[in-house]
Amino acid sequence: GGELALSAHPAELGGRPVWKFELSAVSNDFLSKFFLVRDYMVSWVDPRNFRTTRFEKHTVEGKRVRDELTEFDYESGTAKVDGATRPLQEAWLDTLSSVYYLRTLPLDADKPAVLSVFSGETHTLTVEVQARERIATPAGSFATVRVEPKSTGASLIGKGKNLVLWLTDDERRIPVQIKTKLKELEGIGVEVEQPTQPSHGRMDGVPGLGEHLQRHRLARARGARHKPVAAGHLRQQPQL
């Protein structure tokens, strides 16, 4: 078992306002004895157009340790990955920012969204809307949209490994459950913390995201290897 957390908040990079998305995955004490997981990703996004400007990935998985830095240059149409220049082509999202961006999409089951995502090179991300369903969690019952972003390259949790997300079926698109396979971390429930609205307000061109920033905690991977636990507790703080 372990914990995976996602957060989003306004910040600055190089003196300019950005949105900062972060993800961390940490194995618990028991699992760490056999397979240590300490992953951290951070994405800096231009609030004017949702373009990624910088992406970092730091991973410790078992004996494998890796650090990666990607800097985006849209004027030249290139990205620098650990100093090596590579073509961006039409990509303007990274693997982490794409998870937040899909919440702004119509999510039509008849028209899967197709996005260009850069992760070492440009890949296609297809957002498959699988169902609209009501799910029961310890926090209550929610009408949701179940989606699975499928990548032709490296995804958020590794090549060939996809997330399945349940988002509230309203304009807020709040994640209330996530299931995935992350190395030895499987069957993970979700805890969502909704903070008060930041002073920066809403993100330009992204309806509702400024008002509905979340901190997601994926915790307590219990039970059998292929039997996900229910979603965790949903806590909402009063909004201003």
Side-chain angles (χ1 to χ4, degrees), residues 56-193:
E56 290 183 31
K57 183 176 181 179
H58 309 279
T59 59
V60 178
E61 296 175 352
K63 295 181 179 180
R64 183 174 180 269
V65 179
R66 184 179 179 186
D67 296 309
E68 180 182 310
L69 169 63
T70 303
E71 297 175 296
F72 293 72
D73 184 346
Y74 296 99
E75 289 188 4
S76 66
T78 61
K80 284 191 175 181
V81 182
D82 295 331
T85 301
R86 300 179 185 176
L88 268 177
Q89 299 177 10
E90 68 275 17
W92 48 276
L93 295 167
D94 61 76
T95 53
L96 179 54
S97 65
S98 65
V99 172
Y100 285 90
Y101 184 74
L102 70 84
R103 295 179 53 219
T104 72
L105 303 177
L107 300 182
D108 187 342
D110 296 327
K111 297 179 180 178
V114 179
L115 305 173
S116 292
V117 176
F118 188 87
S119 177
E121 58 185 15
T122 298
H123 301 290
T124 299
L125 182 73
T126 302
V127 182
E128 179 182 288
V129 179
Q130 298 181 334
R132 278 180 158 79
E133 58 192 3
R134 180 168 291 276
I135 64 171
T137 78
S141 177
F142 298 92
T144 66
V145 183
R146 187 177 81 227
V147 301
E148 182 176 355
K150 295 183 176 180
S151 176
T152 58
S155 70
L156 186 65
I157 57 172
K159 190 171 183 178
K161 299 180 180 180
N162 297 319
L163 294 169
V164 179
L165 302 94
W166 283 257
L167 311 175
T168 56
D169 195 6
D170 55 27
E171 65 178 7
R172 298 174 298 171
R173 299 277 195 247
I174 298 174
V176 292
Q177 182 168 271
I178 300 176
K179 294 179 182 178
T180 184
K181 294 180 181 179
L182 178 60
K183 299 299 182 183
E184 300 300 323
L185 302 177
E186 299 187 23
I188 304 177
V190 62
E191 177 180 300
V192 180
E193 242 179 76

Side-chain angles (χ1 to χ4, degrees), residues 212-233:
H212 302 288
L213 299 178
Q214 280 86 36
R215 178 174 177 80
H216 320 286
R217 292 192 179 277
L218 305 181
R220 303 173 64 185
R222 299 192 304 238
R225 183 173 177 82
H226 296 291
K227 295 182 179 179
V229 298
H233 181 60

